[in-house]
């Protein structure tokens, strides 16, 4: 972070939000750490110690970053050769992706994780302009099934297979 050459530059809201978010995450971690139940057999270093350390570090780093940004020390702009510094966020794409994540979460229980993941994968590919569109389906659906088999069948994680795959051993955790 350097303030050189940035005299008169407006404070970037994104950097302020990032710093406040880090500090807020630290406050949340500290608040939640206090609710961790410590067994009587816990020694000096019980299960609350690490969350307290991480939460404190997040608060300190977030506040330090916030102070530096307010003093004019901003992050350097991206220097990629294919980056357009004047391009703005395309909000319709962001809204569609957030809606796809919400739809994914809503579909997990009634239809199962593989169907919800396939909808998310295909929808995200279409949102980013996948051509031809059928290729996104041909890749997204098998990808969701492979991930279901790997995480539920292979690792034993609890991903609901849904009514279509219920009872298939490789897809059940």
């Amino acid at each position: 972070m350097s303030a050189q050459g940035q005299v008169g530059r407006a404070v970037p809201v994104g950097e302020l939000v990032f710093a406040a978010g880090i500090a807020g995450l630290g406050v949340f971690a500290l608040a939640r750490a206090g609710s961790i139940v410590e067994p009587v057999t816990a020694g000096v270093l019980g299960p609350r110690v690490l969350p307290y350390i991480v939460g404190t570090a997040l608060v300190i780093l977030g506040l330090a970053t916030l102070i530096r940004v307010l003093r004019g020390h901003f992050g350097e702009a991206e220097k990629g050769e294919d980056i357009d510094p004047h391009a703005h966020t395309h909000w319709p794409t962001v809204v569609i992706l957030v809606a796809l994540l919400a739809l994914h979460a809503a579909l997990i229980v009634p239809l199962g994780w593989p169907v919800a993941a396939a909808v998310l994968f295909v929808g995200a590919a279409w949102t980013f302009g996948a051509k031809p569109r059928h290729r996104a389906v041909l890749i997204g659906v098998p990808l969701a099934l492979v991930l279901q088999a790997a995480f539920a069948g292979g690792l034993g994680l609890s991903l609901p297979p849904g009514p279509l795959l219920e009872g298939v051993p490789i897809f059940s955790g």
Side-chain angles (χ1 to χ4, degrees):
M1 291 188 185
S2 171
Q4 293 179 346
Q6 299 189 22
V7 177
R9 180 177 162 196
V11 175
V13 176
E15 292 188 29
L16 291 174
V17 169
F18 173 77
I22 294 297
L25 185 61
V27 169
F28 176 77
L30 290 172
R32 295 294 296 165
S35 66
I36 295 175
V37 178
E38 288 193 341
V40 291
T41 58
V44 176
L45 298 176
R48 293 182 185 173
V49 173
L50 186 60
Y52 280 138
I53 292 171
V54 171
T56 302
L58 286 171
V59 169
I60 291 169
L61 291 172
L63 292 176
T65 303
L66 190 64
I67 290 168
R68 287 189 53 86
V69 169
L70 290 174
R71 288 184 175 174
H73 297 274
F74 308 134
E76 292 185 26
E78 181 68 37
K79 293 183 180 176
E81 51 186 66
D82 62 341
I83 303 295
D84 181 5
H86 304 293
H88 297 288
T89 301
H90 188 252
W91 289 107
T93 300
V94 174
V95 170
I96 291 170
L97 291 174
V98 169
L100 282 168
L101 283 171
L103 180 63
H104 171 74
L107 291 178
I108 290 175
V109 172
L111 299 180
W113 192 89
V115 173
V119 169
L120 177 64
F121 297 158
V122 172
W126 286 354
T127 302
F128 287 128
K131 301 280 187 215
R133 288 186 179 248
H134 71 276
R135 186 178 299 154
V137 175
L138 293 175
I139 294 172
V141 172
L143 179 60
L145 292 172
V146 166
L147 290 173
Q148 176 72 20
F151 286 106
L155 296 175
L157 297 178
S158 179
L159 293 177
L164 296 174
L165 300 173
E166 194 71 41
V168 180
I170 194 168
F171 294 119
S172 299

